[in-house]
Amino acid sequence: MTAVPVRTLVLWCPDWPVIAAEIVDGVPATGLVAVLHANRVVACSEQARAEGVRRGLRKREAQGRCPRLTVVDHDPVRDARAFEPVVAAVEELVAGVEVVRPGACAVAARGPSRFLGGEEAAAERIVEHVAQACVVESQVGVADGVFAAGLAARSGRVVPPGGTPRFLVDLPVEALGRPALADLLRRLGVRTLGGFAALPAGDVLARFGFDGALAHRLAAGRDHRPLAVRQPPADLAVTADQDDPLDRVDAAAFVARALAERLHDRLAAHGLACTRLGIEAVTAHGQELHRVWRHDGLLTAAAIADRVRWQLDGWLSGGRPGRAGARPARPTAGITRLRLVPDGVIAQGALQPGLWGEAGEERERAHRALSRVQGILGPEAVVTAVLGGGRSLPDQVRLVPWGDERVPARPGGRVGDPPWPGRLPPPAPAVVFPEPLAATVRDATGELVVVSARLAVSAAPARLAVGAGQSAEIIGWTGPWPVDERWWAPAEARRRARFQACLADGAALLLAVEGGRWLVEAIYD
């Protein structure tokens, strides 16, 4: 018996990376905005498209077409967090939602259509509800399978049952979302999904491999993949309402400790650990207060209670309204509601032991001691290193004050990130000099070794002298590896070539040639 694709309803929010930038960072989506990844446009606003900006353009070309273009870096985490309220709004009407990607989600159409009076009525109701709940524009498409429904959503179309192959037949091969495959198909003379679907399946598998065979099934309307329905996130927040407003720190701290224990127990029941804690308070006069505390390890019940007490102390001990000073004004009434929201959670098994052992009491003691040092000497007195992206070794390390969010200066330092172009391969050097050491490299005849603009080495390096020291024999070397950075900005441009060299005494060095000068940048262990 032949499997039949599931009738699927897809909700699609146009230009979602732009909308997410407006929701999270306040970038107006009604302006000239483009979101870039790897120096290419991945999304742009409607106004930017009117000026000629398109997906896939390089940054310089996009700014050439639209000089007033606002450029925003692509952030998948931002897109996903901003899309969560939209998914929650859809779940208020229907069950079994799959998040296809930030900006698009899918549900089986059978349930909503029966409950809401048909597929078209269900589509209209969902779009209206999302607009009211999230103030976000969206479109809905219904077809056989997620792939076809996603394409139908771009025109707000409901494809009748069994009509998906006819709907897909005239669409261009670029609709497959596989640029390399689409380019190859066009060069072979196949320009539409219908033309691709007409090819024999065995020949497609032999020529294009498994992914090509999967794309061939999608082009023919045979999308039999079941929906990967997500589990709605559990409500982990805890709240305490007070009949008598809390206006003293000691009374508020007593309530905070009990609330912290409830939150810790709730997280433990789900096998989670809190890394970012949101503290919300409402006063008797309706004033709303909110702060977020970050932590890079496990927040125990005592640690949560301490942070809540510190925050309440800051609120309730603030300056009087209208009084000048650095401290914020004290609330005009006592606190009647206190709420703790775990804004960032991870699985407890994902926590890595730190310098002081397991994340727990010892780590907390170290945190308090270092925080006290910061209070005496200033935030910059205690820093930790964060590894990030970059071509040169100094560019890859950022020093972050203790307690601040550990975000690298450049992406590319985490496992799973794409490799940074031009970055040295592992292993990394053991010692990196703050300032490179001047050196002299000579060949076997005693002549200076030079590197031309075309990276031609005048002779094999034979001896190395650092500063005014004695020279050492070079028994092995490799290179050069060129680095040409920021050539478009003459004041910041930098061009150099790097070498690795092994000396007769066993030392291994990272060398560089810049402006005709040899430098020793680092030592390998």
Side-chain angles (χ1 to χ4, degrees), residues 94-147:
V94 299
V97 178
E98 173 190 325
V99 179
V100 180
R101 63 182 180 278
C105 60
V107 298
R110 180 182 179 185
S113 63
R114 296 179 64 181
F115 179 71
L116 299 175
E119 293 176 344
E120 293 186 1
E124 294 176 359
R125 178 70 182 279
I126 292 174
V127 168
E128 180 181 359
H129 183 70
V130 169
Q132 293 176 349
C134 306
V135 197
V136 170
E137 293 184 2
S138 61
Q139 297 177 188
V140 165
V142 182
D144 299 333
V146 177
F147 172 72

Side-chain angles (χ1 to χ4, degrees), residues 15 18 31-37 39-72:
D15 307 326
V18 177
L32 302 168
V33 182
V35 179
L36 269 68
H37 176 65
N39 207 41
R40 288 187 180 273
V41 177
V42 295
C44 60
S45 64
E46 183 177 355
Q47 290 72 14
R49 280 194 296 274
E51 297 290 331
V53 179
R54 295 292 184 269
R55 291 182 59 185
L57 291 181
R58 291 188 178 274
K59 178 180 178 181
R60 175 179 291 185
E61 185 177 356
Q63 291 178 325
R65 296 185 180 187
C66 181
R68 296 181 292 116
L69 187 67
T70 300
V71 174
V72 181

Side-chain angles (χ1 to χ4, degrees), residues 146-475:
V146 177
F147 172 72
L151 296 178
R154 296 179 179 271
S155 57
R157 181 173 176 179
V158 176
V159 180
T164 297
R166 291 191 299 275
F167 166 68
L168 297 174
V169 68
D170 293 326
L171 295 180
V173 291
E174 286 77 11
L176 291 169
R178 294 164 168 83
L181 177 61
D183 180 66
L184 179 56
L185 289 174
R186 281 198 170 273
R187 285 190 279 118
L188 293 174
V190 180
R191 293 177 171 79
T192 64
L193 296 185
F196 185 37
L199 299 177
D203 294 344
V204 171
L205 177 61
R207 178 62 178 83
F208 302 105
F210 177 78
D211 187 65
L214 175 59
H216 182 258
R217 294 180 62 86
L218 297 179
R222 299 195 302 270
D223 185 5
H224 301 147
R225 180 183 67 84
L227 291 177
V229 177
R230 79 166 195 156
Q231 294 295 328
D235 185 9
L236 301 175
V238 293
T239 306
D241 293 315
Q242 303 297 314
D243 295 331
D244 297 326
L246 302 173
D247 54 5
R248 295 187 3 250
V249 175
D250 56 348
F254 179 79
V255 175
R257 180 163 295 276
L259 200 60
E261 292 177 354
R262 284 176 51 196
L263 176 61
H264 184 265
D265 293 343
R266 182 169 294 185
L267 290 172
H270 288 81
L272 300 174
C274 181
T275 61
R276 195 166 57 243
L277 175 68
I279 305 174
E280 301 175 356
V282 180
T283 69
H285 290 171
Q287 183 180 4
E288 297 183 358
L289 308 172
H290 177 73
R291 288 292 183 274
V292 175
W293 288 72
R294 288 183 171 88
H295 192 67
D296 60 355
L298 171 65
L299 279 171
T300 63
I304 295 174
D306 285 342
R307 282 156 178 76
V308 178
R309 177 172 55 82
W310 297 339
Q311 186 59 63
L312 292 175
D313 188 9
W315 282 335
L316 297 178
S317 301
R320 297 295 178 185
R323 180 180 176 181
R327 303 189 71 176
R330 180 177 179 176
T332 57
I335 294 174
T336 58
R337 170 174 290 185
L338 184 62
R339 188 167 185 255
L340 304 184
V341 182
D343 191 43
V345 295
I346 61 174
Q348 288 192 10
L351 289 174
Q352 181 178 357
L355 180 63
W356 297 276
E358 295 294 335
E361 182 178 355
E362 295 300 322
R363 186 184 184 89
E364 186 61 29
R365 288 176 58 190
H367 176 73
R368 294 188 185 189
L370 297 176
S371 298
R372 183 171 180 82
V373 173
Q374 286 181 310
I376 298 173
L377 302 179
E380 303 293 335
V382 182
V383 296
T384 58
V386 180
L387 185 64
R391 296 180 180 87
S392 63
L393 297 169
D395 292 342
Q396 297 173 21
V397 179
R398 177 193 178 203
L399 297 179
V400 179
W402 176 264
D404 285 6
E405 190 171 9
R406 294 170 54 82
V407 178
R410 300 174 178 84
R414 295 175 296 182
V415 176
D417 286 343
W420 191 276
R423 182 173 181 169
L424 283 174
V431 178
V432 180
F433 299 110
E435 293 293 334
L437 306 179
T440 303
V441 177
R442 300 182 182 274
D443 60 17
T445 64
E447 296 293 328
L448 290 174
V449 177
V450 296
V451 181
S452 70
R454 294 183 177 272
L455 301 175
V457 183
S458 62
R463 302 197 68 84
L464 168 73
V466 179
Q470 295 199 3
S471 63
E473 181 184 1
I474 299 175
I475 61 174

